[in-house]
């Protein structure tokens, strides 16, 4: 009996901790937004973070986009062939990339490539007491350190997702048209008639913007709240990757449900 | 890293992102700036719309001339009121007929417009009078079986 009660107690404790954490991240996001003025006034700070978060993720995003598109082209052709509609492989590749894979896979890659780096950097700044030193000099670390990294991530991720989708479509084209020999004209024209600018492309960009906000908020939060030890920073980095990946997937489900069924 | 190289890289990154946006919008998607999005709306009442959906294409002679804007049930006439948004550059006579057809065997349904001969053109808010709803496969098969049964029973009756 006491075992059951303590088991239930553990469940309750975990749930409360998760809710507490989400609340803490939300209020942290709010304080970032309040202290964001400096990162736009001194835009070079943000540009620097766009370089570290975005430009340095370019290679991994471009290469994985190309490969994902190639695999989609191969698999799509293999399956569509059974129904004699291998010309539609362009539609399959483009829609899956623009709607889902582009925003989601690039967000997952971004979380592990850039999110973890942001957490580690801020966590280490905290562990080496650079953040407290800033506070001593009356410099708000949130507006000087956290907000530029946050906005750098928010700006970078939609661009990376667009690049991922574009590369993926090029990869699908290479496999389906150049290698397998699907007709190039019907590849593009069927794609164009199926992909809608507003419903597919703009919604994909909205998704990646939301993911960018979520990942950057979680990454900066974990770094800022990391215990100032070597262990603490490494734990925070792991937590950033795990919780931002889960957040991306969960948000994706919610956003997709709304986008497919309409917002009302 | 030096400021100018950093700016250069970020600039390249943003431009790359922008170009891929343009590629997605124009090469992959159907964003088309040249055709103005101005449309005029005409309504048509169908007995049955089948699987017609909003944003389904409207074709005339096989060419896309517009999209279905809205589908509603008309509770006065007990039929389906379909609002058709037709591109302003295409004008159709007032005695144009609208029918719901299917592209291919399993394809999507679309509205087909067949131009009439009147010298007045449809305006915004007009109604298309000549309509043909979707063909419902079950009804067609039912009718076929019914006719078949009638045929065989009448030939049997004649033989007696």
């Amino acid at each position: 009996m006491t075992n059951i009660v303590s088991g239930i107690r553990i469940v309750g404790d975990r749930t409360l901790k998760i809710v507490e954490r989400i609340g803490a991240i939300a209020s942290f996001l709010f304080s970032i937004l309040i202290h964001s003025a400096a990162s736009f006034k001194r835009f070079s700070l943000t540009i620097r973070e766009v370089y570290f978060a975005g430009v340095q993720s370019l290679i991994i995003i471009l290469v994985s986009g190309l490969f994902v598109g190639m695999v989609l082209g191969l698999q799509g052709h293999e399956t569509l062939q059974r129904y004699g509609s291998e010309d539609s492989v362009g539609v399959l590749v483009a829609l899956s990339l623009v709607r889902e894979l582009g925003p989601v896979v690039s967000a997952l890659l971004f979380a592990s490539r850039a999110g973890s780096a942001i957490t580690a950097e801020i966590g280490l700044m905290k562990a080496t007491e650079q953040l407290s030193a800033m506070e001593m000099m009356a410099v708000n670390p949130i507006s000087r350190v956290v907000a530029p990294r946050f906005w750098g991530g928010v700006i970078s991720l939609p661009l990376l997702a667009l690049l991922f989708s574009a590369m993926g479509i090029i990869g699908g084209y290479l496999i389906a048209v150049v290698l397998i020999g699907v007709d190039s004209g019907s590849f593009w024209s069927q794609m164009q008639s199926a992909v809608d600018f507003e419903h597919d492309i703009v919604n994909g960009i909205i998704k990646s913007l939301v993911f960018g906000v979520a990942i950057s908020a979680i990454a900066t939060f974990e770094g800022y709240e990391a215990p100032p030890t070597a262990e603490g920073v490494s734990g925070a980095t792991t937590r950033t990757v795990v919780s931002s990946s889960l957040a991306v997937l969960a948000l994706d489900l919610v956003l997709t449900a709304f986008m497919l069924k309409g917002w009302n | 890293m030096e400021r100018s190289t950093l700016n250069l890289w970020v600039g390249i990154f943003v431009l790359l992102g922008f170009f891929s946006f343009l590629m997605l919008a124009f090469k992959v998607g159907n964003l088309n700036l040249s055709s103005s999005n101005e449309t005029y709306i005409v309504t048509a009442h169908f007995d049955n719309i089948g699987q017609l959906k909003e944003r389904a294409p409207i074709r005339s002679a096989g060419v896309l001339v517009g999209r279905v804007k809205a589908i509603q049930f008309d509770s006065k006439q007990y039929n389906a009121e379909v609002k058709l948004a037709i591109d302003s550059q295409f004008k159709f006579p007032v005695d144009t007929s609208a029918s719901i057809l299917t592209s291919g065997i399993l394809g999507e349904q679309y509205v087909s417009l067949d131009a009439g001969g009147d010298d007045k053109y449809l305006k915004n808010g007009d109604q298309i009078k000549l309509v043909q709803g979707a063909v419902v496969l079950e009804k067609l098969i039912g009718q076929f079986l019914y006719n078949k049964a009638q045929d065989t029973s009448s030939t049997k009756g004649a033989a007696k």
Side-chain angles (χ1 to χ4, degrees), chain A residues 10-92:
Chain A
I10 289 170
V11 173
D13 184 51
R14 289 275 163 82
T15 315
L16 280 178
K17 276 200 176 128
I18 291 170
V19 173
E20 213 173 299
R21 203 153 190 88
I22 293 172
I25 292 173
S27 69
F28 187 70
L29 177 62
F30 189 67
S31 71
I32 291 176
L33 293 181
I34 288 177
H35 294 107
S36 289
S39 48
F40 288 101
K41 232 178 272 167
R42 289 177 63 191
F43 202 62
S44 58
L45 285 178
T46 311
I47 287 181
R48 193 176 160 274
E49 300 310 326
V50 172
Y51 177 81
F52 286 115
V55 177
Q56 296 204 330
S57 311
L58 260 182
I59 299 295
I60 187 173
I61 291 286
L62 292 182
V63 173
S64 8
L66 192 66
F67 280 121
V68 167
M70 285 176 156
V71 170
L72 273 177
L74 267 178
Q75 293 278 16
H77 180 266
E78 185 68 24
T79 310
L80 288 172
Q81 203 178 28
R82 295 187 199 173
Y83 308 102
S85 51
E86 58 261 46
D87 283 353
S88 314
V89 67
V91 178
L92 181 116

Side-chain angles (χ1 to χ4, degrees), chain B residues 75-109:
Chain B
S75 49
K76 289 203 187 85
Q77 300 179 36
Y78 301 108
N79 57 17
E81 186 192 54
V82 178
K83 286 204 168 76
L84 308 171
I86 302 171
D87 206 312
S88 312
Q89 58 176 314
F90 303 112
K91 297 209 181 313
F92 287 94
V94 283
D95 57 345
T96 295
S97 70
S99 41
I100 297 177
L101 302 177
T102 311
S103 52
I105 301 171
L106 297 168
E108 54 173 0
Q109 290 196 302

Side-chain angles (χ1 to χ4, degrees), chain A residues 58-135:
Chain A
L58 260 182
I59 299 295
I60 187 173
I61 291 286
L62 292 182
V63 173
S64 8
L66 192 66
F67 280 121
V68 167
M70 285 176 156
V71 170
L72 273 177
L74 267 178
Q75 293 278 16
H77 180 266
E78 185 68 24
T79 310
L80 288 172
Q81 203 178 28
R82 295 187 199 173
Y83 308 102
S85 51
E86 58 261 46
D87 283 353
S88 314
V89 67
V91 178
L92 181 116
V93 170
L95 279 185
S96 21
L97 277 168
V98 171
R99 281 187 185 167
E100 284 299 327
L101 292 175
V104 173
V105 177
S106 53
L108 294 178
L109 290 171
F110 184 79
S112 33
R113 167 67 186 74
S116 59
I118 291 172
T119 307
E121 198 184 5
I122 298 178
L124 213 66
M125 281 174 132
K126 192 186 179 193
T128 51
E129 295 181 337
Q130 293 181 47
L131 296 186
S132 345
M134 277 184 190
E135 263 171 9

Side-chain angles (χ1 to χ4, degrees), chain A residues 185 205 221 235 251:
Chain A
I205 296 172
F221 172 81
L251 280 172

Side-chain angles (χ1 to χ4, degrees), chain A residues 44 51 191-192 195 197 201, chain B residues 1 3 24 27-28 30:
Chain A
S44 58
Y51 177 81
M191 190 189 285
Q192 279 179 358
V195 178
F197 177 70
I201 296 173
Chain B
M1 179 170 291
R3 178 85 167 266
L24 288 177
K27 182 89 183 160
V28 176
N30 54 8

